Amino acid sequence: MESKQARFSPEIVAWYERASTVENRRRLDAGIADLITWSDLVRVAACQVAGLPVAHEIDFAKIHAEMGKKPVKKAPAKRTTKRA
């Protein structure tokens, strides 16, 4: 068993791993080089709740909104070949 699963439930780990993916995509789009791990997000969330200073400013409301969106499904490509 991995150490992260020993301390946190699999659902919490999965949520924070997905949230770190969303946050890293936003940071890369903004030109910010920092890559945030799931454990960084847990640390920032705990500090925000406790009112302690944090190293990274992370907008969890925006992450929640982004994670609530459903992926856009693309229509299959149309075949234009003619059959003889």
Side-chain angles (χ1 to χ4, degrees):
M1 174 185 283
E2 288 188 50
S3 62
K4 64 183 178 185
Q5 256 95 33
R7 287 180 251 150
F8 300 99
S9 73
E11 295 83 21
I12 290 174
V13 171
W15 191 93
Y16 278 102
E17 283 179 342
R18 187 159 173 245
S20 67
T21 303
V22 170
E23 178 64 12
N24 284 329
R25 185 176 354 108
R26 185 191 68 77
R27 286 174 176 269
L28 288 174
D29 291 344
I32 302 170
D34 273 321
L35 292 179
I36 304 295
T37 63
W38 75 274
S39 56
D40 293 332
L41 289 183
V42 171
R43 192 176 307 112
V44 169
C47 288
Q48 285 180 349
V49 168
L52 299 172
V54 293
H56 302 284
E57 290 298 323
I58 296 174
D59 187 358
F60 282 102
K62 191 170 186 175
I63 291 174
H64 275 284
E66 184 70 25
M67 288 176 63
K69 293 180 185 176
K70 294 187 178 181
V72 177
K73 291 185 180 180
K74 295 183 179 180
K78 293 182 179 180
R79 292 189 174 192
T80 58
T81 58
K82 293 183 180 179
R83 294 186 181 186

